[in-house]
Amino acid sequence: MQFHIYTAVWLFFVYGMLGWVAETIVAAARYKRFENRGVVDGPFCTVYGVAGVVLAMTLTEQSGNLLVQFVGSAVFCTLIEWIAGHLLEKTTGGRWWDYSNRPLNLDGYICLPYSLLWGVLGVLGLRVLNPLLALALAWIPAAVGRVVLWVLLALYLVDSLGAYSAMRHLTRVNPAVREVNHRLAKLAWKLAGWITGHVERRLSRSYPNFLAKKTAAATGVFAAGCSFYKLVWLFVIGSLLGDFTETIFCRITAGVWMSRSSLVWGPFSIVWGFAIALATALLHRYRDRSDSFLFWFGTVLGGAYEYFCSVVTEVCFGTVFWDYSAIPFNLGGRINLLYCFFWGIAAVVWLKFLYPRLSGLIEKIPPRPGVYITWALVVFMALNMLTSALAMARYDARSQGIAPTSAWQQLIDSRFPDERMEKIYPNAIRVEEPAA
């Protein structure tokens, strides 16, 4: 099926609702009673919705290879489930499901039997459900479909805010009462309180194994542990190190100096930056595990991450930033076995050697200046990424002969003409649209 934002949102809701139905049926069979198994209050499981979109975006192009779709579905769904479990634990202080009694499990959040099941379900979704959904969408008038999606999105956002508030209350003791003077604000708080109480009661019933944990007390050290501030610094440092590493690697292997930056301002490779921050957040608790564990986990995680980044940049910008088709054991030119092993080696080197030293240096920053500098970096990198995305969008539009129609497009064209973009992104290859 042709992948665009309209299709992605439909897939998100269809898979989210189907996942809720499946989870509810399983829970009803296990506990002999009806239970709403979604985190949000409505009939929806966000993890399934995200998985449906990711699989459609990344694996539809592998329609001719059943094995790749099966393995890819197993890997992506398992990683999504693993990440979701840890995010929920980090944000709410509790465990939402537990596979500890299953064979070959990791932290009780993922296990081999369910990974194989995700592979089978992913193939069925890609080969059966998605084509049927494409046919159904063709019968829905575009205007009607968009109205329905906007309504669903609004309901989902309201529901998510209520659920998040409820989950935070489940881990807090004696939350501070806020003074609200405005009548409309008072009414909103009463409504929020009703929603929160309702969701709290349902979450407590639906997840009897939910283990609330107390929030750790502040240590007084800047960016202590694996905190938000430390991850921001690691993202920026990782982006710089990644750009320098790739630049030197190209010089050694290709004999030329070329820009490897992802952004228009500064030597930053955000693929590396996000990889470092994500690997730290996800693998921090495993830093004392064996080198072989970190190597193989980093190999799988890095390969899936690089493949996903390749697909996303192509879908969003119509451009391929790297192509490994000439390297043996590649998959669609997006990843190859050798570079996946590099990701595994990088995981070991990072967690065993580089991270402990950088973490110690970051924690030596005085707390107050550290907070100000961190937020300055957040603002700068956000503006840098936004400007880079707009520049890439116009670069792509100009290649199709689309003239600027607004002031911001004219400004971007004047500041980032083709000559400048070709210097920043020398390896960017325009992907031709398929013939109608």
Side-chain angles (χ1 to χ4, degrees), residues 17 55 79 173 184 213 240 243 308 338-339 353 356 360 376 430:
M17 292 177 183
L55 295 189
L79 289 177
V173 180
L184 184 59
K213 300 178 182 178
L240 287 169
D243 184 87
F308 180 76
L338 177 61
Y339 285 9
F353 301 101
R430 168 69 186 163

Side-chain angles (χ1 to χ4, degrees), residues 82-83 226 231-232 234-243 246 262 269-284 297-298 301-309 322 339 342-344 346-348 350-351 355 385:
W82 181 65
I83 292 171
C226 190
L231 291 178
V232 171
L234 292 178
F235 167 74
V236 176
I237 294 172
S239 297
L240 287 169
L241 291 177
D243 184 87
E246 289 202 9
S262 306
S269 176
I270 60 172
V271 171
W272 279 86
F274 280 122
I276 291 294
L278 184 63
T280 303
L282 296 178
L283 300 179
H284 180 263
F297 207 27
L301 187 63
Y305 171 75
E306 187 173 20
Y307 189 96
F308 180 76
C309 289
W322 61 85
Y339 285 9
F342 285 168
W343 284 111
V348 176
W350 173 252
L351 290 171
Y355 171 74
M385 285 187 281

Side-chain angles (χ1 to χ4, degrees), residues 96-327:
W96 290 80
W97 60 85
D98 193 353
Y99 300 149
S100 297
N101 60 342
R102 306 281 182 177
L104 299 174
N105 74 85
L106 180 63
D107 297 335
Y109 280 128
I110 58 175
C111 64
L112 182 59
Y114 276 101
S115 295
L116 298 176
L117 176 61
W118 301 142
V120 173
L121 294 177
V123 170
L124 291 176
L126 290 167
R127 292 177 174 263
V128 179
L129 183 58
N130 287 3
L132 291 176
L133 179 60
L135 292 175
L137 292 178
W139 286 90
I140 301 176
V144 175
R146 284 179 172 80
V147 170
V148 172
L149 287 182
W150 278 112
V151 172
L152 290 175
L153 281 171
L155 293 174
Y156 175 75
L157 290 175
V158 172
D159 202 359
S160 298
L161 289 174
Y164 178 77
S165 176
M167 290 187 293
R168 297 305 296 172
H169 276 75
L170 284 173
T171 61
R172 292 178 181 175
V173 180
N174 298 322
V177 179
R178 297 185 179 183
E179 185 69 23
V180 182
N181 297 321
H182 196 276
R183 292 183 179 180
L184 184 59
K186 288 183 178 180
L187 178 62
W189 275 100
K190 288 181 180 179
L191 179 59
W194 179 84
I195 295 175
T196 296
H198 174 67
V199 177
E200 283 181 0
R201 290 190 294 272
R202 183 184 64 74
L203 290 175
S204 298
R205 292 194 305 269
S206 298
Y207 294 90
N209 294 325
F210 183 84
L211 306 177
K213 300 178 182 178
K214 293 183 179 180
T215 304
T219 62
V221 177
F222 173 70
C226 190
S227 64
F228 167 78
Y229 291 112
K230 181 168 289 179
L231 291 178
V232 171
W233 280 85
L234 292 178
F235 167 74
V236 176
I237 294 172
S239 297
L240 287 169
L241 291 177
D243 184 87
F244 294 154
T245 301
E246 289 202 9
T247 301
I248 295 173
F249 181 79
C250 285
R251 174 61 181 174
I252 294 174
T253 58
V256 296
W257 294 103
M258 68 172 65
S259 170
R260 303 298 296 172
S261 177
S262 306
L263 304 178
V264 293
W265 295 326
F268 300 105
S269 176
I270 60 172
V271 171
W272 279 86
F274 280 122
I276 291 294
L278 184 63
T280 303
L282 296 178
L283 300 179
H284 180 263
R285 64 176 62 200
Y286 309 117
R287 61 190 182 279
D288 295 327
R289 297 285 292 267
S290 66
D291 291 354
S292 60
F293 173 87
L294 293 175
F295 171 78
W296 288 112
F297 207 27
T299 297
V300 175
L301 187 63
Y305 171 75
E306 187 173 20
Y307 189 96
F308 180 76
C309 289
S310 174
V311 172
V312 169
T313 53
E314 182 176 335
V315 170
C316 294
F317 304 113
T319 303
V320 173
F321 289 92
W322 61 85
D323 186 358
Y324 303 142
S325 299
I327 300 177

Side-chain angles (χ1 to χ4, degrees), residues 378-390:
V378 169
V379 172
F380 169 72
M381 294 302 287
L383 290 175
N384 202 353
M385 285 187 281
L386 176 61
T387 304
S388 301
L390 294 177

